[in-house]
Amino acid sequence: MRHKLNLLCFLLVLASTWMSAQDALIKRADKSFERYDYSNAAELYEKAIENGYEGKNAYINLADAHYLNANYSDAADWFGRLAEKDASALDQEHIHRYALALKSIGNYEESDKWMIKLSNEEAVADVFSEVVCFVEFTKNPLIKPEFLLYFLSL
């Protein structure tokens, strides 16, 4: 029984050491990224991900590091992995970078798909902002219903 308890304690210590090593690696990668040392940051992020780190920011920063170093093939690969894992993690800027990286490596069809997705998201955002503005406009107590009817008939 005592042997099992010792083994359990050893495994817990080992797991916590591994997790803190992962966190230290990510912190070093983040610092390199913040200092614009993208090649070092990319190496550190890749090492962390190979060791099982799953954070979205690591994937995004890794893809960005490759993109900002003009290493478009690796950037497209990592943006693609993130898109497969969680497409919602890609904001408009990263969708645009992914599409440009794909285009840079000659993958025009896939690039066009992502550009269309980007333009659709921008169009939806524009319509949504117009609707929000109109709703806020109609809440104004100084606006008369006759004016709204005239405005809607235009």
Side-chain angles (χ1 to χ4, degrees):
M1 182 69 175
R2 183 162 170 79
H3 221 331
K4 288 181 182 180
L5 186 60
N6 286 341
L7 180 63
L8 181 63
C9 288
F10 174 74
L11 290 175
L12 286 173
V13 168
L14 185 64
S16 66
T17 303
W18 179 78
M19 292 176 86
S20 66
Q22 288 288 73
D23 291 341
L25 193 60
I26 290 297
K27 284 181 183 177
R28 283 181 35 217
D30 288 342
K31 285 214 186 285
S32 291
F33 191 85
E34 290 168 7
R35 289 190 319 255
Y36 307 108
D37 184 4
Y38 299 123
S39 59
N40 187 44
E43 288 176 21
L44 294 171
Y45 285 126
E46 283 181 13
K47 190 182 289 186
I49 290 170
E50 284 173 8
N51 291 336
Y53 189 80
E54 292 289 322
K56 290 180 205 174
N57 272 355
Y59 279 86
I60 290 172
N61 287 351
L62 174 55
D64 277 343
H66 285 302
Y67 180 86
L68 295 168
N69 267 338
N71 188 351
Y72 299 119
S73 129
D74 286 341
D77 179 45
W78 286 104
F79 279 128
R81 290 184 194 193
L82 180 60
E84 286 175 11
K85 186 176 178 171
D86 182 12
S88 67
L90 293 172
D91 59 10
Q92 290 183 347
E93 177 184 0
H94 291 104
I95 290 173
H96 188 248
R97 286 183 178 180
Y98 182 34
L100 291 177
L102 288 167
K103 189 171 280 190
S104 295
I105 62 172
N107 193 342
Y108 300 110
E109 281 185 32
E110 190 69 18
S111 173
D112 290 344
K113 288 178 188 175
W114 283 95
M115 282 299 216
I116 289 169
K117 179 179 172 121
L118 178 64
S119 65
N120 287 344
E121 284 184 7
E122 288 175 350
V124 167
D126 289 344
V127 169
F128 181 73
S129 69
E130 288 178 15
V131 168
V132 168
C133 286
F134 182 74
V135 167
E136 290 301 315
F137 177 74
T138 58
K139 287 182 181 177
N140 188 337
L142 300 175
I143 303 298
K144 297 184 178 185
E146 301 84 34
F147 180 74
L148 285 176
L149 289 174
Y150 174 76
F151 180 71
L152 291 172
S153 68
L154 294 178

